[in-house]
Every structure is written in C-alpha cells, then in structure tokens.
Amino acid sequence: MKDYQVNDDGYYGEFGGAYVPEILYGCVEELRKNYLPIIQSESFKNEFDGLLRDYVGRPSPLYLAPRLSERYGCRIYLKREDLNHTGAHKINNTIGQILIAKRMGKRRIIAETGAGQHGVATATVCALMNMECVVYMGKTDVERQHINVQKMEMLGATVYPVTSGNMTLKDATNEAIRDWCCHPSDTYYIIGSTVGPHPYPDMVARLQSVISEEIRKQLSLQEGRDYPDYLIACVGGGSNAAGTIYHYVNDDRVKIVLAEAGGKGIDTGMSAATIQLGKIGIIHGSKTLVMQSQDGQIEEPYSISAGLDYPGIGPIHANLATNKRATVLAINDDEALNAAFELTRLEGIIPALESAHALGALGKLRFRPEDVVVLTVSGRGDKDMETYIREMKNK
C-alpha cells in the first residue's frame, strides 16, 4: 500500500520541500528541528488538549443531517467545525502553533489571512497568550470581510491591508514573508494552511488531525465502525481537508473527495481550481501545483470565496490528486451558493462560502443508500452574510 505521509525531507511524493531565501533558512531549520519534539512532548499534549477542550469547545459534533441525507440518498454526517470558538477549524492550528512559538521563546507573531478566519484565530490566541500580533490581509479581502478585520483589531492585532497584485491571499502571504525576512530572530510566522516550506504543511496537518481523530471515535459510536465510505472537504491551501483525511489517507476503504473553487468556470480565466489548472512550480517556499502562465508567472486566481482564491495548493493534496488517491471537483460560484442555501433551508445551518464548495460536491457524486458520508463544515457563514444577502436579492 502506498504511504501518503511526508518523508524525512519534507516531500509528499514529488511535492513539498523548503525553498526559502537564505535569510530565513535559520528560522525554518530551527522550526524543523523543534516542531516534532515539542508536539510529541507530554507538556504540549496536555496544554493543547486542554485548550481544545475548554477554550475551543472540542470535540466538535458529528451531526447526522436527516433532510440532507434524504435529499442525496445516503447517510450524511456533518463535522461541525463551524461550532468552534471563532467559528472555523482555523483555531485548532493557531492554538497549536502559538504553543510551539511560546516554547521556542518567540514573542512576536505574524500571519496572513484571506477570508479572515485564520487572522481572527491568530489574533485570538495572541490575546490569550499576551503576544504581539500582526496580520497581513489583501485590500480586496479587507473590504469584503470587514467584520473579521474589526474582530482582529478588537482582539488587539494590527491589520495591514496589502495593495500589491490582486490584493488577496497570495499577496498577503508575500507581505508576511517579507516581514519575516526583516525580523527573523524574534518573530514566529503562523501559517494558516498546509502550504509554505517544510515543516509547515506537516505541522499544520498534524495540528488539524484532531478532526479525523474525532471522526473515528464518533463514527464508532454512531455507526459501529470507525471509517466512512466518503470524506468530503473544501480545499484552498488545504488545512481543513488535511485534518479531515489525516487518519484515513492510507485506508483504501475511504473515498476522498476534495472540492476546489471553480469560480466562474475553469475555462473562463476566472477560477481558483489549482489542481485542475495548475502546473508544477514553486510558491511560498514549496514545490506544488501552481496556477501559472506559459513563462512561469503566477496567475491571479478568482473565487467568490475569500478563503479559496489561492493560486497554489498544499503539497499533501497535490500528491493525493496526482496519485488519484483523491477525487478533485471544481465547484463553481453558483453551485456553491446553491449548496449553501440548500443546507440552510434543509438543516438550519448557514455555512461559510468555503464549506459551501464541499456541499456543492454532493450533487456531483452518486451514492448508495448504505453509504456513510462525512462532510466537514469548515466554518460558519456569519462572515459571508453580505454576499448571501446580495445573492438572495438577485434571485
């Protein structure tokens, strides 16, 4: 059986590695040497597990959605990451990384954010741990996610609107890396997804693996078996997807379905479907699939969802897709919106636009009545209400 976990050099098959400027080599190498001993220590495990339980509110429920199940003719469970403190899965990772930063003696935290959920989660844990917090966010995203900006500022973070490029997630990440280059010794960069140089993709996946760990236990109680037939998650950089599938990637009984942002359509030039459209390249310190022109220039992605418009993909998912371990579907804006309204009206749950892409995959699959499907609702839809209201008016 093929092993899809990271190897000792930080690669998932041909994807991954650490391609960083010389000034950051020491920072990345320091983290690489420390992250596993820290994560595997009893003191970290106790503090991390305690905060996940008492501060984040874990375990998040695994909810059997009766009307959605009836609609698609199978047993659909929703993994409710939207019920976490701060409203998304992002807090699992930021809690873990700030505990690592604290143990490494860092006092200043920087982060990038797209939809703002990672920024809010980072600002939250910085307030909790009394650390300086700087968040870079594209100006486009600042405008469409201004409530999250206000939350970050209320939590004490400094938010820098980024005006370069498309003024979205890629550009925010660029600015965060520039900051890190200027402050390499005292600054810890909390990356929000399974992207960036090794060890970030593996570290983030490990911290998010609490999702699939809980799924195993919850399915055992609810279905009498610890695995589903299908796992479905949205994928931008890929942190909620990595957490959802972590304990199942080498289990061939489980079909993995990843939903990426099709935007206006993969043939329109207005898309963020990196796995469908990307070619092998290097972005933000990692070798992966990248949306790029013939001469290797990174192309600007588009999605209605601020959290999915990234022109790269985590090397974990690039490897799974290349090896056909995961089925990857491009879900267009209108399909995601329709899926969000459907869940809201069938189950009374308003999902984030990112999660709506995972829901949009349900209509593209054919299930048997006995199939058990677990779909991760990565975040709640509060931040996307202006988009939803606008779309309701246009219907």
Side-chain angles (χ1 to χ4, degrees), residues 254-390:
V254 181
K255 299 177 182 69
I256 295 172
V257 180
L258 304 177
E260 60 179 355
K264 300 293 186 185
I266 59 173
D267 299 321
T268 65
M270 297 281 286
S271 180
T274 303
I275 296 174
Q276 308 276 348
L277 300 172
K279 299 187 289 288
I280 293 177
I282 295 170
I283 184 170
H284 299 138
S286 178
K287 181 182 179 184
T288 187
L289 297 174
V290 184
M291 290 175 60
Q292 54 189 302
S293 62
Q294 291 294 331
D295 59 357
Q297 296 298 308
I298 293 173
E299 294 187 332
E300 299 291 352
Y302 162 79
S303 169
I304 195 171
S305 164
L308 298 181
D309 59 356
Y310 184 64
I313 188 75
I316 300 168
H317 305 300
N319 183 49
L320 293 174
T322 299
N323 285 287
K324 311 299 184 192
R325 176 64 185 97
T327 299
V328 182
L329 302 174
I331 307 301
N332 295 351
D333 288 354
D334 55 350
E335 293 170 331
L337 285 164
N338 289 337
F341 290 130
E342 179 178 75
L343 181 69
T344 302
R345 289 161 186 167
L346 289 180
E347 299 290 349
I349 299 168
I350 302 175
L353 271 168
E354 291 79 16
S355 311
H357 286 72
L359 292 157
L362 291 170
K364 296 177 181 285
L365 300 167
R366 292 293 171 263
F367 302 112
R368 301 169 301 171
E370 66 269 24
D371 282 339
V372 174
V373 178
V374 173
L375 185 151
T376 297
V377 180
S378 57
R380 68 178 73 125
D382 303 29
K383 66 184 179 58
D384 297 311
M385 284 310 300
E386 289 184 5
T387 301
Y388 288 147
I389 291 166
R390 184 173 66 246

Side-chain angles (χ1 to χ4, degrees), residues 112-265:
E112 87 298 327
T113 196
Q117 290 302 106
H118 174 59
V120 170
T122 302
T124 296
V125 297
C126 285
L128 180 67
M129 297 293 173
N130 190 29
M131 288 197 190
E132 180 186 352
C133 181
V134 175
V135 179
Y136 291 92
M137 188 174 190
K139 185 171 180 288
T140 300
D141 293 334
V142 167
E143 291 167 355
R144 61 180 170 176
Q145 300 290 348
H146 61 90
I147 294 296
N148 273 342
V149 175
Q150 291 166 338
K151 286 181 182 177
M152 286 182 260
E153 291 174 342
M154 185 174 178
L155 287 159
T158 301
V159 181
Y160 284 112
V162 176
T163 57
S164 58
N166 205 36
M167 300 186 288
T168 54
L169 183 56
K170 166 182 69 70
D171 315 294
T173 306
N174 289 343
E175 288 301 321
I177 291 172
R178 288 190 189 102
D179 181 311
W180 201 16
C181 287
C182 295
H183 307 89
S185 60
D186 67 333
T187 295
Y188 184 99
Y189 181 9
I190 296 184
I191 292 181
S193 198
T194 50
V195 299
H198 178 66
Y200 278 103
D202 182 53
M203 178 172 62
V204 174
R206 286 172 184 268
L207 296 173
Q208 290 290 1
S209 71
V210 64
I211 299 172
S212 55
E213 185 180 325
E214 290 176 3
I215 290 171
R216 286 200 304 190
K217 294 175 183 175
Q218 291 165 323
L219 277 180
S220 292
L221 290 172
Q222 292 171 251
E223 287 288 331
R225 67 184 208 194
D226 67 355
Y227 69 95
D229 296 293
Y230 289 84
L231 281 172
I232 304 175
C234 66
V235 61
S239 60
N240 96 89
T244 300
I245 68 177
Y246 190 87
H247 291 291
Y248 295 106
V249 287
N250 294 319
D251 187 343
D252 290 337
R253 297 171 298 181
V254 181
K255 299 177 182 69
I256 295 172
V257 180
L258 304 177
E260 60 179 355
K264 300 293 186 185

